[in-house]
Amino acid sequence: MIEKHFVLEEADPAIFFGVGNSNLRLLRALCPKLRIIGRGNVMKVMGSEEDMAEFEETFNALEKHCTKFNLLSEEDVLNIVKRHPSNGETPGNVIVYSTSGKPVTARTENQRRLVEAYAKNDMLFAVGPAGSGKTYTAIALAVRALKNKEIKKIILSRPAVEAGEKLGFLPGDMKEKIDPYLQPLYDALEEMIPPAKLQEYMATNIIQIAPLAYMRGRTLNDAVVILDEAQNTTTAQIKMFLTRMGWNTKMIVTGDRTQVDLPSSIQSGLTEAIRILKDVPGIAFIEMDRSDIVRHKLVTKIVEAYEQDAKRRKEDKEVQTSKKAAADSNGSALA
């Protein structure tokens, strides 16, 4: 009889062992020749060398399924142990699976273009209105790359700019001060990575969330790096960010050019970067629109109303400018 320890490196132990260790108990019943003990993220197994070799294959299949789908039901355990195919084979358009086991997919044509562009380019710009899935799709791509061991870390950043209101002094340490700006990124991560695993990734800096100001001087290798709300960067800031790119790194820049919170005298770095880099090979630009909005149906109507108002204001301004020019011309002629 031999003894071997199997370590859950990627899967969340709480999901793997099941509620009340239900999966562990089922595994013991299905493998009566083995003595199986689970503690923490380690499974200690004792048995014959032949049975152990077969169990190792089963364990790897169980962990792979749990990591991939963020789910491991008793039915899944039964199917895998009996070498039956799982019910949850990955459809071609699934990026990752949420913590509830639901597939995260590209739901619109432009989101699919973003996924395809990610495979072909090292740098992407995804620009579009609120709710069009820019950030969510980008983070799903990053989580998939991490789970597939294509990269070693995910780095998420956004400029610390208030949306039209001054928050003033924020108490606490640096993390507590910047968390309000980064909450949308946490929200997306929490939907795709089990809580215990997410906490572990952040504690070990496998997932890093930082304000843009802390990117200076770094070279980012073996990572997916996402800059969110890039419309609120200055030209100098976005140039600094883009030049942090290292080997085996993908960069995704997201933003909405209609929601710039910078002072009116400052040009948005996102707009400038798109203009300057539009012809550079290896950089893809995905323009999203109202048809990509996947939030509540009212969001689409709100975006449309603001676009129409902006169009009317622009037309009114052009009319006023034209009238003023005509008046000035008449005044000059009379003089």
Side-chain angles (χ1 to χ4, degrees):
M1 180 175 286
I2 61 174
E3 177 180 313
K4 190 166 184 178
H5 289 193
F6 296 90
V7 180
L8 293 167
E9 296 181 350
E10 300 297 331
D12 185 336
I15 298 174
F16 187 89
F17 292 128
V19 178
N21 285 333
S22 58
N23 291 342
L24 184 60
R25 289 197 302 272
L26 177 58
L27 204 53
R28 287 169 180 159
L30 293 170
C31 305
K33 294 181 181 179
L34 297 172
R35 186 182 176 195
I36 304 172
I37 300 171
R39 184 173 289 111
N41 69 330
V42 178
M43 182 178 284
K44 184 170 72 172
V45 183
M46 288 164 280
S48 69
E49 190 170 347
E50 182 181 349
D51 291 334
M52 193 71 74
E54 184 178 350
F55 181 80
E56 183 169 3
E57 184 181 342
T58 298
F59 174 85
N60 291 336
L62 288 168
E63 184 182 27
K64 183 178 180 181
H65 181 99
C66 186
T67 302
K68 182 177 183 179
F69 297 102
N70 287 318
L71 195 67
L72 188 66
S73 66
E74 292 183 30
E75 184 181 358
D76 294 327
V77 175
L78 191 63
N79 285 334
I80 291 170
V81 171
K82 291 182 175 295
R83 301 293 186 271
H84 292 161
S86 170
N87 293 329
E89 290 300 314
T90 310
N93 63 341
V94 173
I95 305 172
V96 292
Y97 285 82
S98 71
T99 52
S100 62
K102 293 180 180 179
V104 176
T105 64
R107 296 171 61 182
T108 70
E109 182 59 35
N110 283 323
Q111 288 180 13
R112 283 189 283 274
R113 287 181 59 223
L114 176 57
V115 174
E116 291 168 2
Y118 174 88
K120 299 175 183 177
N121 300 273
D122 289 335
M123 185 177 291
L124 296 86
F125 285 77
V127 181
S132 55
K134 308 178 298 295
T135 302
Y136 195 81
T137 305
I139 290 179
L141 289 167
V143 171
R144 183 184 68 181
L146 184 64
K147 288 190 172 189
N148 291 345
K149 300 186 185 300
E150 298 166 10
I151 55 167
K152 294 180 180 178
K153 55 183 177 283
I154 297 172
I155 301 172
L156 308 173
S157 185
R158 30 156 55 189
V161 177
E162 291 99 343
E165 56 182 318
K166 300 299 180 183
L167 301 181
F169 173 77
L170 293 173
D173 59 20
M174 181 53 65
K175 181 179 183 301
E176 291 170 330
K177 290 178 187 293
I178 65 174
D179 272 357
Y181 299 101
L182 305 174
Q183 192 58 49
L185 305 181
Y186 287 119
D187 291 344
L189 286 170
E190 287 169 355
E191 285 194 33
M192 300 178 205
I193 301 175
K197 204 66 189 176
L198 179 57
Q199 188 174 5
E200 177 191 329
Y201 282 155
M202 297 189 73
T204 56
N205 284 328
I206 292 174
I207 293 180
Q208 304 172 26
I209 303 182
L212 183 59
Y214 287 78
M215 289 293 178
R216 187 173 296 280
R218 300 182 66 181
T219 300
L220 308 174
N221 297 314
D222 298 308
V224 172
V225 189
I226 299 172
L227 176 60
D228 191 33
E229 300 289 351
Q231 76 276 3
N232 288 328
T233 61
T234 64
T235 298
Q237 284 176 328
I238 200 165
K239 178 184 176 184
M240 177 273 291
F241 172 82
L242 296 176
T243 53
R244 302 304 95 202
M245 192 172 193
W247 296 107
N248 189 37
T249 289
K250 299 246 185 185
M251 281 191 165
I252 307 176
V253 179
T254 67
D256 179 358
R257 284 179 287 189
T258 68
Q259 292 190 354
V260 178
D261 300 311
L262 295 169
S264 57
S265 59
I266 299 178
Q267 173 73 39
S268 169
L270 176 62
T271 302
E272 283 290 278
I274 292 173
R275 179 183 64 82
I276 294 168
L277 303 175
K278 63 182 180 180
D279 297 321
V280 177
I283 303 178
F285 299 88
I286 308 299
E287 288 277 353
M288 296 181 171
D289 54 36
R290 293 196 304 271
S291 65
D292 297 296
I293 294 176
V294 292
R295 291 181 185 168
H296 193 285
K297 60 184 179 181
L298 277 177
V299 175
T300 303
K301 295 178 180 179
I302 290 168
V303 170
E304 184 176 357
Y306 272 92
E307 287 180 353
Q308 290 175 352
D309 181 70
K311 184 179 179 181
R312 283 195 299 269
R313 286 172 178 270
K314 183 179 179 181
E315 290 172 351
D316 290 345
K317 187 175 180 180
E318 289 174 352
V319 169
Q320 293 298 325
T321 302
S322 178
K323 287 182 178 179
K324 185 175 184 302
D328 291 343
S329 176
N330 290 336
S332 299
L334 290 172

